[in-house]
Every structure is written in C-alpha cells, then in structure tokens.
Amino acid sequence: MKTAFFAACVASAAAFAPSTKPAFGTSLAGKQDFLEAEPYWDQSTVPVNVYKNKAPFTGKVVSTKRIVGPKATGETCHIIIDHNGDFPYWEGQSWGVIPPGVREKDGKPHSVRLYSIASSRYGDDMTGKTGSLCVRRATYWCPELKAEDPAKKGICSNFLCDTKPGDEIQMTGPAGKVMLIPEENPNTDLIMVATGTGIAPYRGFIRRLFFEDTPAANAYKGTAWLFMGVANSDALLYDDELQEVKKKFPNNFRLDYALSREQENKKGGKMYVQDKVEEYADEIFTKLDNGAHIYFCGLKGMMPGIQDMLKSVAESKKIDYEEWVKELKAKKQWHVEVY
C-alpha cells in the first residue's frame, strides 16, 4: 500500500522540486533502498561530523521558496541544497551552516548555526543527492524606530532565505543522534511535538515512513502522531503533504494542530501545543508506557509549558514525574532538540 502511495505523492512533493529538473516520477523509478544500513535499522554507522568548521563542505542551492501564507507571523523558507551525494545524513540530524563574511565586533568568521534537516536521507527528489532546510527569517522589530532594525537581523537565517539557485553554502556536520528514529521495532509509536520550524526533523521522518519506498516504510506498523503549534493557519508548514499522508494512512498517521491565535484551550486561553497534547494525555501516557518514543523540537521556550503540563498530568495519575521522565530517558524514549 505504501509503495502505491509513493506514486500518489509525486505531485505533492513536486511543489518543492526545482523547475530545472524533471517532475517527480519521471526519473525516480525504483525503491529508495540505496542509502540504507545493513540491516536498515542498525544505527552503528550513522555519519557524524564528517565535515568540520575548518574544512566545511560546499553545497549549492537548488531552490529557495517561501512556504507560509501572507498572514503568517514571519517568513519561513524551504531551501533545497545539492550535495551531489557527498554529504550523507540520516533523518533527525542537523546541518551546520557558516554564513559568509565576518563578525563586526572582531573581524572573525561567523560561527556555525545548526539547522535540523527537513528531508529524508534521499532528499526531496529522492536521488540521495540533495537535502532540505526549513528556515524562519530572524528579524528584530525596534519599538523606537517602529520598524525592523536590519542591524539586528539574524545573519544566517537571512543569508539562507535570500539565497538563489546556484549560490554556494559552507556546511558542517551532519550533527546529532538524539533525534534518530528507532526502526528496529516497526511497531513503535512516534509522538512528535513541534513548534514552528521544529517540524523539520519530523518531515524527514514522515517522508521516510510514508512517502518513500524504503525498507522502513514497508515494515512500519506503528502510529506516527504529530502535534504542531503555530500562530495561525497561514503559518502552517507542509500542510499539503501532511494532509495527504493523513488521508492515505489514517491508521498509521495522526495530526493535531495548535493555532494560538485562532483556537482556545479548555480554559478559554490561547491554544498552545502543550494544551493540544494535554487533550490526549491519557492516551499519550499509555503509549509511552507501552514503548512509544516522544520527540520535542522547536524554540526552547516551548519546554517549560510542556513539562509543567506533563508534570500536572503525572501528579493527577499519582505518578512521580521526575522518576517517570528519568525512566523514559533511560529507555531512550525521550528526545529533545530545542534552540
């Protein structure tokens, strides 16, 4: 069934394919099985820090596209980078980006910024030669000027969002193992909690498990459940892809949005992602007791609210929250990547 879905998803993925390349499906016949470990779930060969600051990799931009609506709070771009198959990575890892130029304060090169990779290891074109980033343009609104202050804008995010096809990007990594998918048991449920561009690694997960004809997709029998928090409907990311997966795999994929400026929580306040997770607290606690893995990715400010909510639920169940989390971490069921 998932193999058939690969063909059905060609049109959806084509939205991110560069116009200079053939549309999805024209040159992508065959399985996505040529970048797998042996067996596919073995994480002992995950590449880490192959390219470092002093000897970075040079990637080339294929396309940069704004992917939010006009009423979104800020601009978010999807950037496809060609690495010619020379910069392998796994889902859940990050790339480092070194923006061009030097720091004004001391004339030294800019430091590396890490971005979660927003594609599977096969890339959006499924050739294994590209990877994607999901980047929100960082700006600073000056209350005195009543305008954006360009002197305080994010150096790297603005560089990336301003890139054009053919532009070169200095890159390091891949970094991290904390957000990898546990694929040895194909019945494992995945609970993914994101705010904003924190959806990036989960897009890689979802493409690997549902879009592509991978060994992991063919074996997967669990449920992948995404909780996504953004300000409003225009700020939703990759919604077309997510809705397609939800339609095709209602028994294996669940999707819940928290739109803080459009929805209310049960107390009549703004609906944040922790409020949406709390609505399903009993089910989530049960899944975690049964071996599910839970992931958190996004701005670090998301974690206090989530932890307070989980602690409150745990106390209502007469569970020692600190011991509960400690046990989840010991079993490697608890994954956090915030920035």
Side-chain angles (χ1 to χ4, degrees), residues 71-84:
K71 296 181 181 180
T73 52
E75 180 180 21
T76 301
C77 295
H78 182 84
I79 302 152
I80 300 177
I81 301 169
D82 185 354
H83 59 76
N84 198 38

Side-chain angles (χ1 to χ4, degrees), residues 60 62 71 101 103 118 139 186 214 224 227 237 275 289 297 327 338:
K60 189 167 288 188
V62 175
K71 296 181 181 180
R103 300 185 302 197
T139 57
T214 61
F227 290 90
L237 302 172
D275 301 315
D289 287 344
C297 190
E327 185 175 339
V338 294

Side-chain angles (χ1 to χ4, degrees), residues 284-300:
I284 288 171
F285 269 64
T286 298
K287 284 183 175 293
L288 290 169
D289 287 344
N290 292 331
H293 283 234
I294 190 164
Y295 296 78
F296 304 96
C297 190
L299 293 173
K300 61 184 178 182

Side-chain angles (χ1 to χ4, degrees), residues 197-239:
T197 57
I199 195 175
Y202 309 142
R203 181 177 184 262
F205 294 5
I206 292 164
R207 292 184 70 82
R208 176 166 176 78
L209 295 177
F210 299 108
F211 274 74
E212 300 170 351
D213 190 3
T214 61
N218 292 326
Y220 191 62
K221 300 294 187 295
T223 297
W225 191 353
L226 174 62
F227 290 90
M228 173 69 175
V230 293
N232 56 36
S233 299
D234 268 21
L236 290 172
L237 302 172
Y238 310 112
D239 182 58

Side-chain angles (χ1 to χ4, degrees), residues 39-336:
Y40 73 90
W41 44 260
D42 181 6
Q43 297 181 353
S44 64
T45 59
V46 175
V48 177
N49 296 326
V50 177
Y51 294 95
K52 299 178 173 62
N53 297 23
K54 293 183 178 180
F57 178 84
T58 301
K60 189 167 288 188
V61 173
V62 175
S63 63
T64 300
K65 179 180 180 180
R66 178 188 170 105
I67 56 171
V68 291
K71 296 181 181 180
T73 52
E75 180 180 21
T76 301
C77 295
H78 182 84
I79 302 152
I80 300 177
I81 301 169
D82 185 354
H83 59 76
N84 198 38
D86 297 325
F87 200 163
Y89 59 86
W90 283 30
E91 298 76 16
Q93 291 192 292
S94 299
W95 270 340
V97 175
I98 306 174
V102 296
R103 300 185 302 197
E104 288 186 9
K105 64 179 182 180
D106 57 15
K108 294 182 178 180
H110 291 295
S111 58
V112 173
R113 273 72 160 180
L114 289 176
Y115 293 92
S116 298
I117 301 170
S119 54
S120 81
R121 69 191 71 178
Y122 294 100
D124 288 359
D125 61 2
M126 302 185 197
T127 63
K129 295 182 179 181
T130 68
S132 302
L133 298 179
C134 178
V135 180
R136 174 169 172 160
R137 186 189 295 274
T139 57
Y140 174 77
W141 178 266
C142 179
E144 295 179 1
L145 297 175
K146 295 184 179 180
E148 290 181 358
D149 185 349
K152 296 182 179 180
K153 67 181 183 181
I155 298 296
C156 198
S157 66
N158 279 270
F159 161 66
L160 288 170
C161 289
D162 287 337
T163 54
K164 303 291 189 295
D167 286 353
E168 293 186 343
I169 299 178
Q170 299 298 300
M171 305 165 66
T172 65
K177 290 185 177 183
V178 71
M179 298 290 282
L180 299 177
I181 311 173
E183 295 180 333
E184 186 170 0
N185 179 357
N187 297 306
T188 301
D189 290 336
L190 307 176
I191 302 166
M192 304 166 286
V193 183
T195 58
T197 57
I199 195 175
Y202 309 142
R203 181 177 184 262
F205 294 5
I206 292 164
R207 292 184 70 82
R208 176 166 176 78
L209 295 177
F210 299 108
F211 274 74
E212 300 170 351
D213 190 3
T214 61
N218 292 326
Y220 191 62
K221 300 294 187 295
T223 297
W225 191 353
L226 174 62
F227 290 90
M228 173 69 175
V230 293
N232 56 36
S233 299
D234 268 21
L236 290 172
L237 302 172
Y238 310 112
D239 182 58
D240 53 345
E241 295 183 10
L242 298 175
Q243 296 298 340
E244 190 71 18
V245 176
K246 184 179 178 182
K247 179 181 177 181
K248 295 289 184 179
F249 300 101
N251 297 324
N252 298 98
F253 181 69
R254 295 171 67 174
L255 176 64
D256 282 280
Y257 287 141
L259 308 177
S260 62
R261 299 189 183 182
E262 296 179 6
Q263 299 172 332
E264 289 187 353
N265 61 27
K266 64 182 181 182
K267 297 177 182 177
K270 291 183 177 181
M271 175 71 80
Y272 293 109
V273 71
Q274 65 264 28
D275 301 315
K276 182 57 67 173
V277 173
E278 186 177 13
E279 292 181 4
Y280 301 93
D282 289 343
E283 189 174 358
I284 288 171
F285 269 64
T286 298
K287 284 183 175 293
L288 290 169
D289 287 344
N290 292 331
H293 283 234
I294 190 164
Y295 296 78
F296 304 96
C297 190
L299 293 173
K300 61 184 178 182
M302 71 185 278
M303 290 308 295
I306 288 173
Q307 290 174 316
D308 288 345
M309 178 275 294
L310 291 174
K311 185 175 182 179
S312 176
V313 173
E315 290 174 349
S316 72
K317 296 177 176 292
K318 303 295 190 286
I319 295 172
D320 184 318
Y321 175 71
E322 300 300 335
E323 286 298 317
W324 179 73
V325 172
K326 184 178 179 180
E327 185 175 339
L328 290 176
K329 290 180 178 179
K331 294 180 179 178
K332 299 183 178 180
Q333 294 172 248
W334 181 272
H335 310 259
V336 180

